[in-house]
Amino acid sequence: MLGYSRQPVISLRGVCFEYAHGGFSLNVGELTVASGTRAAAIGPSGSGKTTLLNLISGIERPGSGEVSTAGVRVDRLSSAGRRSFRITTIGFVFQEFLLLEYLDVLDNILYPYRLHPELRLDASVRSRARQLASDLGLAELLARRPSELSQGERQRVAIARALVTAPSLILADEPTGNLDPATKQQALDLLFEQCEARSTTLLMVTHDHGLLDQFAQIVDVEALGPAEA
Ligand code: ADP
Ligand code: MG
């Protein structure tokens, strides 16, 4: 296993992407993030940070170029293939948490298992979900609904949900944007700790430059540059 530990989990080469109705384009000459790295993506609002995550996860597909994520050429997959890849391989954490009010905390954590038949919800998954909840300080809250939680607790549920499938990569889009400073650092510490314990690669979008010294790699989205001829 060790020999593989520094393989890139994310690799983009010569990527050109444009939204269907034009306007914004994102070009990436070359970007690699090695396995197990804690990386931050930065850039002003509208610079393409979310678009970059969407290319890496296969939500969007480039017009040209290669996108390889966790060893899979996602640019070559069909739309159904990319969806399936995304659900089974990547964990997501968003600023808005995106929890479901009709599900309790435990079922929110287990939500990815409702999305894809390849993910089998068995006893070992349930026990992993409970362990994650306990690691994230949520053990007493499993039967609550999202509206009965604080912002910090909601984000911890979202972190547990991102980790429950044991993904090789976590993509987090401004995950601390809605948290106050103390809660923010607590949520980050838990996210970092959980990623480290599992050698999970993390690519996190943040506006908060005060956090950057906690990352091993900084991806400046404005400096990604066009594909070399
Ligand atoms: P960031 O996350 O850095 O704020 P985004 O990647 O969300 O930036 O957006 C980059 C640019 O692409 C923005 O100008 C935005 O308006 C535009 N954009 C985002 N999503 C779409 C879409 N689905 N269709 C067309 N334009 C989009
Ligand atoms: Mg964004």
Side-chain angles (χ1 to χ4, degrees):
M1 272 313 273
L2 271 180
Y4 295 99
S5 63
R6 301 305 291 170
Q7 289 285 323
V9 161
I10 299 170
S11 165
L12 282 76
R13 288 163 62 93
V15 166
C16 299
F17 170 80
E18 198 169 352
Y19 282 107
H21 301 293
F24 179 79
S25 61
L26 182 67
N27 296 304
V28 185
E30 173 135 31
L31 169 65
T32 58
V33 177
S35 177
T37 303
R38 186 194 293 168
I42 57 165
S45 186
S47 59
K49 302 179 298 297
T50 297
T51 304
L52 176 67
L53 295 193
N54 289 346
L55 285 164
I56 291 166
S57 68
I59 289 173
E60 301 286 359
R61 191 183 203 178
S64 59
E66 299 174 12
V67 178
S68 168
T69 304
V72 172
R73 279 288 298 273
V74 289
D75 58 285
R76 289 183 175 159
L77 298 176
S78 66
S79 154
R82 296 201 308 279
R83 177 175 185 273
S84 158
F85 166 80
R86 193 160 64 239
I87 296 167
T88 56
T89 316
I90 300 175
F92 292 91
V93 189
F94 301 95
Q95 179 171 352
E96 305 80 17
F97 319 135
L98 302 181
L99 302 179
L100 295 155
E101 185 57 30
Y102 69 91
L103 297 176
D104 66 18
V105 164
L106 182 59
D107 282 334
N108 265 285
I109 294 172
L110 289 167
Y111 185 67
Y113 290 84
R114 293 174 183 241
L115 292 178
H116 202 272
E118 216 176 280
L119 294 176
R120 295 274 314 277
L121 181 50
D122 56 23
S124 75
V125 171
R126 285 187 179 282
S127 98
R128 184 163 68 232
R130 286 179 184 280
Q131 182 62 50
L132 273 169
S134 153
D135 292 348
L136 291 165
L138 299 166
E140 310 301 315
L141 308 175
L142 291 178
R144 292 218 199 151
R145 300 290 166 128
S147 62
E148 298 165 332
L149 303 174
S150 70
Q151 295 284 81
E153 288 163 348
R154 270 179 226 159
Q155 192 55 302
R156 282 186 269 145
V157 176
I159 291 169
R161 180 184 55 188
L163 287 157
V164 76
T165 58
S168 52
L169 173 64
I170 299 253
L171 297 177
D173 204 347
E174 304 190 43
T176 58
N178 283 334
L179 303 177
D180 63 75
T183 312
K184 171 163 60 181
Q185 191 56 52
Q186 192 191 25
L188 274 184
D189 287 344
L190 289 166
L191 178 60
F192 292 166
E193 197 180 292
Q194 295 301 315
C195 286
E196 239 150 65
R198 295 167 171 76
S199 302
T200 306
T201 309
L202 173 67
L203 177 58
M204 181 179 129
V205 170
T206 180
H207 267 118
D208 194 339
H209 286 225
L211 300 176
L212 294 184
D213 60 358
Q214 302 184 60
F215 292 84
Q217 182 180 353
I218 312 295
V219 177
D220 180 351
V221 174
E222 282 193 310
L224 285 173
E228 298 289 331

